[in-house]
Amino acid sequence: ANNRLTVFSIGSKSIAYDSLSLAQFKNRSLADLLGVESSLFVKSYGQGSLATSSFRGGNAAQTAVLWNGFSINSSMNGILDFSLIPGSFFNEVTMQYGGETAQWGRGALGGSIHLNNKSAFGKGNAYSLGASLGSFGLNTQSIKTSVSQDKLNFSLSLFRSQAKNDFPYFKTYDGKDSLVRQQHANYLALGLLSDFQYKIGQNKK
C-alpha cells in the first residue's frame, strides 16, 4: 500500500503527521487528531457520538480510510466513525487529497486517510502508558507494549474511554427556560489492536 501511495500519487497533495503530533493525541480519538491538526472538516456530535469527515466538499462516503492498506470503511454505508478509532493505535497517519485517491476504490474522490503500523525491527522493547481526565466524568487510559527483535516485531495496544456525559443545558417548556442535565448519554469504549510481523528473509517479512 505504501508503494502505491508513493508511486501513483506523484504531484498530489499529502500530509503525514510525525510522532510528536500523534503522541499528543494518544489518549484521544482519531476525530480529535484530524479536527485539530488538519484542514479536514470533521463533523462531530460530541463525545461518544458519530464523527465523520469531509474532504474538499465531498461527503463522508467519498473518503477512503485504510489500515495498513486494508479498507476499514463500513461495507453497509461506506463511511467510518472516527470517534471509535483511538489515536494511540498507529505510528503513522497520512492524509491524501484529491481525485487521485480514487485508486483506493469506494468512490474516494475527496481524499484518503492512511493509518499504518510501520515495521521496526531490532529496536528493543518499549512500553507506554497514558491517562487523561475531562469534564462530565470523562476518563481515558491507553497502554502500549512492543517487542522488537532482529526478525520479530510484536506490539499490543489497549484503549479505554468512559464518560458520564451529563452536561447541563437549557430546556424551554411553555415559554420558560429551565436548566437540566443530559440523561442516558453515558458511554464506554474499549479497543485492542495486536500486530505481529516476522522477517523470513533479508528483504521480506
Side-chain angles (χ1 to χ4, degrees), residues 165-194:
N165 218 17
D166 56 346
F167 55 88
Y169 67 97
F170 284 99
K171 182 178 181 180
T172 302
Y173 183 74
D174 289 339
K176 298 180 180 180
D177 292 336
S178 58
L179 184 64
V180 298
R181 284 193 172 273
Q182 177 67 28
Q183 300 293 321
H184 312 297
N186 59 307
Y187 71 90
L188 171 64
L190 302 172
L192 181 148
L193 178 66
S194 177

Side-chain angles (χ1 to χ4, degrees), residues 119-125 146-154 196-199:
S119 303
F121 293 97
K123 299 295 184 179
N125 300 340
S146 61
V147 177
S148 178
Q149 301 177 357
D150 291 338
K151 290 188 176 183
L152 173 68
N153 182 35
F154 172 78
F196 178 83
Q197 298 170 333
Y198 183 77
K199 186 182 293 186

Side-chain angles (χ1 to χ4, degrees), residues 32-179:
D32 296 324
L33 169 66
L34 298 177
V36 174
E37 294 290 328
S38 73
S39 59
L40 179 67
F41 174 66
V42 178
K43 186 176 183 180
S44 175
Y45 291 88
Q47 291 288 347
S49 300
L50 180 68
T52 57
S53 64
S54 174
F55 266 99
R56 293 182 171 179
N59 58 42
Q62 292 174 332
T63 300
V65 184
L66 299 105
W67 170 69
N68 293 318
F70 295 94
S71 175
I72 57 176
N73 291 72
S74 171
S75 59
M76 300 296 292
N77 55 22
I79 68 174
L80 177 71
D81 185 359
F82 290 97
S83 68
L84 300 177
I85 310 296
S88 60
F89 275 10
F90 318 102
N91 54 26
E92 182 183 76
V93 177
T94 303
M95 294 175 53
Q96 183 185 12
Y97 294 77
E100 294 86 352
T101 63
Q103 66 178 311
W104 306 107
R106 292 189 174 274
L109 300 178
S112 61
I113 300 173
H114 302 263
L115 312 173
N116 297 316
N117 298 99
K118 296 180 65 176
S119 303
F121 293 97
K123 299 295 184 179
N125 300 340
Y127 307 92
S128 175
L129 300 174
S132 64
L133 298 174
S135 303
F136 313 116
L138 174 64
N139 64 90
T140 62
Q141 301 85 34
S142 64
I143 302 174
K144 186 172 185 178
T145 179
S146 61
V147 177
S148 178
Q149 301 177 357
D150 291 338
K151 290 188 176 183
L152 173 68
N153 182 35
F154 172 78
S155 66
L156 179 66
S157 302
L158 301 172
F159 181 83
R160 179 184 182 276
S161 179
Q162 183 178 19
K164 294 181 179 178
N165 218 17
D166 56 346
F167 55 88
Y169 67 97
F170 284 99
K171 182 178 181 180
T172 302
Y173 183 74
D174 289 339
K176 298 180 180 180
D177 292 336
S178 58
L179 184 64

